[in-house]
Amino acid sequence: MFHHCRYFISLFLVFTLFAASAQNSTTIVGRIIDENAAPIPYAQVSLHHAPDGRVAKIIVADSIGNFTFPNTSNGNYYVHIKNMTHQDLLTPHFRLSEHISKHDLGKIMLQQNNAYLDEVVIHKRKQFIEQHQDKTVFNIENSALADGNSGLELLTKIPGISLDDKGSFSLKGKSGASIMINGKLTYLSADQLANLLRSTSSTDITKIEVMTNPNAKQDAAGTSGIINIVLKKGVKQGWNGTVSGNLGAGRGLHLGGSLDLNYRTDKVNIFGNYNQYFQNLEYYNSLTRYFYKDSRKEPETFAQQENKIQPKLRSNNFRVGMDFYLTSNQTLGFLVNGGFGKYPKYEPTTNHFRNYTTKDLIWSASTITEGKERWEDMLYNINYNWKFNENGHELKVDVDFIDHYSKMDQTLTTQYSNENQNNIRPLSSRIGDIPSDSKVYVAKIDYTLPFSESFKLETGWKASHIRTENDLQYDTLQNENYVPDQSTSNHFIYKETIQAGYVNISKTWNKFSTQVGLRAEHTSTDGDQITLNEQFSKDYLKFFPSAFLSYSINNNHKLQLSYSYRVERPSFWSLNPFRVYTDPFSYSEGNSKLDPAYEHAYEANYTLANKYIFTLNYADRSNVVNEIIGLDPTNNQITYERPENIGSFKNFGISFMAPTQFFTWWTATHFVNYYRNEYEIPQEDALIKRSGNTLSLNTQNNFKLPKNWSIEIGGNYNSGLTIGLTDIKSYGVVYSGIQKSILQKKATIKVVVNDIFHTNNRRYETISNAVRLIGRSNPDSRTAILSFNYRFGGSENTTKKRSTGSEDIKNRL
């Protein structure tokens, strides 16, 4: 049924789009400037009937002062412009007739109002959550909770986002979210991405954009949507910058600091950033494995595992770039973004194997795992932007090169003993040399052509080529000497080329707004399993349609429907069938036979009073990729994890987002999400049906106090989550922060306490025919952080947002 409905909706939208273009209407445009001819952004512009003054429409100008009133009926009007830093202005009366398709008010100059200037500085603050047509924006920069946290910790506080123990993100219960930084995918494995986010300080993050149903302009990858982390960039004239530092502790010491510098003139913008992050962490995990000889009976044996992980994060990240304003409408930019760091871990682990019936100890194993992980990550970008006019007609070109290298030196040493603590086996040891070398080349062109103020065409092309190589070597201890382990060593080279093109058509008329799009992606992959002399290749073309329809009932009520077809390609690491041992009795491996997963996603939104948002969503995914567990065929006491195409998945959800202001000194944002996940998993001669219901709650409260003090209190709760063969139990967290502006409001000092009651523990259960896992993780999540931030330099001005073309690959490495 949904298969036929999506084509009916698409045809309906295309029909109404072009039918509406024949209607007669007049568009009013203008631009707001100050006495120096600089644009004034975000002023309130209201259109009034003349001479009685009745309000016809109210809008807000864009970031460069432009405003538009499309589809305006005939009559006499005037415009009223309000801005807190400038004096109000009323335009002369003007008349619209059926013979006029566009009425241009030209440049409208406002006089500065010095009486209000200080008040603007005091009260200028974005709402924590903003709802846009194609995304939800969470403004982190002004939150007391931002400073002192890592990017990874920050994401777990965003409504609707979940993180599993493997570093993979879910949106509203759907796994497979793509992570971007400044509009670029990170091209990393889940573990590498987690390390990158751990090493990204929250002081460098200005906002997080969540796109649950992206349009055709966005890459088709990411079945549950896209999470874009937007980093700060200087927007002031002359020399300016920010210096910040933080000090705190959880179970270990936390230190961090960053420096942002920016120099901007009318012809050039030079910017740079450097941050260093230092964390001593400590995690505790417990896991019980039940081993079944016959899945219909009780287990024969079980193993109780306890381990303590003591990692030490040391990271350095930097960004350097230049934007040249060749003309008033052409910009050429260069960007270098890089990072290097290390993440050494010391991990003592005990495993007690017991008889399930008698609970007698069979034997014990004590393991010391030492891992020395380090990485280097570089991105080079050339960007060109040509704005043909001020109506949105523009061309963007991006060329990227990304070079990522990481290496893990791992040692696992194990002693075996009986219940009397006597050694019963020789000492065993395994040494792993686990490198990863990836190179990515991306070119992208985007072209926007507005036929009118209400009718726009967007089209573009993108090509990417990725090469990743892993030459994993394991040695094992035999007769007091280390010898190569050919059965687990592996050399793998993977290449992938994607050619993509898209077209988006958008049209507004009266109270309706539509957008239809189509994206085509041709994918070619080659894998070379050098160790086993095995090769595989795939070549396929897929089309990804999208459609959006909005209806503004009036200023207080708005409806929106959206549909998109998306893909979740297997990560490069998931396709590589090498093994990585987490301890002597468990390992994870890839699967070169994985197929992409495809999803149809539908959403219906109702917005009340421009702030209360109700959402209904439904998703249907095929070829779901999920981790399965099993027993090693050569040793039934060793478990493995491997990605498989496990079956089909359906997600039903309803959510409600409510920004509120109880008093002038108390503002809050609340989020409620209820969803149901359903899986159909074929196994042998049976069809396993798994389902689960989840209630997710999130609240963020800000209290303004006298003398520039403010307090924030927030928290989230998740009643549990079903993902494939795994059930995650309920968990929650409460956090708080207090801040004060000092030094004439150029500096801020903050104290943040995360996970106050230490309730962010994860309990989970995974079941298969041969083994059942019950685990609990106890992260180092309760921390107290003291931070200081100082801003210096010129006056604020608008600037372009910098993005590049490699948005869809990097988080898959």
Side-chain angles (χ1 to χ4, degrees), residues 145-150 153 201-203 246 254 277 279 754 785 787:
L145 304 174
D147 287 326
N149 291 316
S150 69
E153 293 167 331
S201 174
S202 56
T203 58
N246 59 78
H254 293 215
Y277 212 55
Q279 278 187 330
N754 293 302
I785 306 293
S787 64

Side-chain angles (χ1 to χ4, degrees), residues 23 58 85 188 238 308 319 415 485 487 534 546 552 558 564 578 620 692 737 742 745 788:
Q23 296 181 6
I58 300 177
T85 60
L188 303 173
K308 179 171 69 173
R319 297 190 306 277
Q415 289 183 330
D485 184 357
S487 64
E534 294 179 356
S546 63
S552 297
K558 184 178 181 179
S564 66
F578 69 82
D620 188 350
I742 58 176
K745 300 180 183 178
F788 176 79

Side-chain angles (χ1 to χ4, degrees), residues 19-66:
S21 63
Q23 296 181 6
N24 294 324
S25 62
T26 301
T27 298
I28 303 170
V29 299
R31 191 180 190 191
I32 307 168
I33 61 173
D34 62 16
E35 296 130 309
N36 299 317
I40 300 176
Y42 310 122
Q44 177 182 299
V45 187
S46 55
L47 180 67
H48 297 258
H49 292 278
D52 59 10
R54 289 182 296 112
V55 177
K57 299 178 183 178
I58 300 177
I59 61 172
V60 176
D62 65 15
S63 60
I64 56 174
N66 293 324

Side-chain angles (χ1 to χ4, degrees), residues 508-747:
T508 60
W509 74 99
N510 295 332
K511 298 182 178 182
F512 287 93
S513 175
T514 63
Q515 181 185 118
V516 292
L518 181 66
R519 186 178 186 89
E521 294 189 353
H522 178 267
T523 305
S524 177
T525 65
D526 292 286
D528 188 358
Q529 186 73 27
I530 297 175
T531 304
L532 301 177
N533 193 27
E534 294 179 356
Q535 293 80 35
F536 68 88
S537 63
K538 294 183 180 181
D539 190 277
Y540 54 93
L541 172 67
K542 293 291 290 186
F543 294 91
F544 301 93
S546 63
F548 299 81
L549 173 64
S550 298
Y551 175 61
S552 297
I553 302 172
N554 53 43
N555 290 336
N556 289 320
H557 303 276
K558 184 178 181 179
L559 297 174
Q560 181 173 316
L561 302 175
S562 63
Y563 161 79
S564 66
Y565 183 49
R566 303 190 60 76
V567 62
E568 181 184 1
R569 296 186 181 91
S571 70
F572 310 131
W573 283 77
S574 295
L575 290 167
N576 190 346
F578 69 82
R579 294 179 180 178
V580 175
Y581 282 84
T582 53
D583 61 64
F585 309 105
S586 61
Y587 62 84
S588 60
E589 63 181 6
N591 180 1
S592 62
K593 299 179 181 179
L594 287 176
D595 291 320
Y598 295 97
E599 178 175 294
H600 299 278
Y602 307 82
E603 273 195 2
N605 294 312
Y606 166 63
T607 304
L608 174 64
N610 291 319
K611 59 179 180 178
Y612 302 111
I613 305 166
F614 300 83
T615 303
L616 293 172
N617 63 273
Y618 169 76
D620 188 350
R621 187 183 309 175
S622 59
N623 283 340
V624 175
V625 178
N626 197 253
E627 298 287 334
I628 67 166
I629 59 173
L631 294 179
D632 188 290
T634 64
N635 189 329
N636 60 10
Q637 293 174 333
I638 297 179
T639 60
Y640 66 81
E641 251 184 348
R642 181 174 63 231
E644 294 278 3
N645 293 108
I646 64 169
S648 62
F649 162 77
K650 289 181 172 61
N651 171 268
F652 310 83
I654 181 172
S655 64
F656 173 58
M657 189 179 299
T660 56
Q661 182 160 356
F662 299 105
F663 304 98
T664 56
W665 49 269
W666 180 8
T667 59
T669 301
H670 312 289
F671 176 78
V672 180
N673 183 206
Y674 180 82
Y675 57 88
R676 177 177 177 82
N677 287 347
E678 294 182 355
Y679 291 86
E680 290 187 351
I681 306 171
Q683 283 198 353
E684 298 178 353
D685 58 348
L687 182 66
I688 298 177
K689 293 187 177 182
R690 290 179 49 78
S691 62
N693 301 316
T694 300
L695 175 64
S696 178
L697 307 174
N698 185 285
T699 183
Q700 183 93 2
N701 298 267
N702 180 270
F703 305 90
K704 293 183 179 180
L705 304 179
K707 299 183 179 180
N708 298 321
W709 285 90
S710 66
I711 294 176
E712 288 196 24
I713 299 175
N716 57 60
Y717 169 78
N718 191 300
S719 66
L721 180 63
T722 298
I723 301 179
L725 299 173
T726 300
D727 288 324
I728 301 173
K729 310 301 180 182
S730 62
Y731 61 91
V733 62
V734 176
Y735 41 86
S736 182
I738 184 169
Q739 69 177 25
K740 179 176 173 60
S741 298
I742 58 176
L743 302 179
Q744 297 179 340
K745 300 180 183 178
K746 292 184 177 181

Side-chain angles (χ1 to χ4, degrees), residues 349-418:
T349 304
T350 59
N351 279 278
H352 302 291
F353 286 79
R354 299 180 181 274
N355 181 284
Y356 181 78
T357 303
T358 65
K359 305 302 187 289
D360 292 336
L361 180 70
I362 302 174
W363 50 271
S364 296
S366 297
T367 304
I368 299 296
T369 303
E370 294 184 85
K372 298 179 180 179
E373 184 176 1
R374 57 191 183 276
W375 64 87
E376 297 174 3
D377 197 9
M378 294 294 298
L379 179 148
Y380 306 90
N381 168 260
I382 299 176
N383 174 280
Y384 174 74
N385 187 7
W386 185 2
K387 294 185 177 181
F388 299 94
N389 55 41
E390 296 180 356
N391 298 323
H393 186 194
E394 65 178 348
L395 174 71
K396 293 182 178 180
V397 180
D398 279 286
V399 179
D400 295 336
F401 170 65
I402 296 163
D403 188 3
H404 175 82
Y405 177 79
S406 63
K407 191 173 189 294
M408 166 73 85
D409 296 325
Q410 185 186 58
T411 302
L412 294 88
T413 304
T414 306
Q415 289 183 330
Y416 301 88
S417 61
N418 58 20

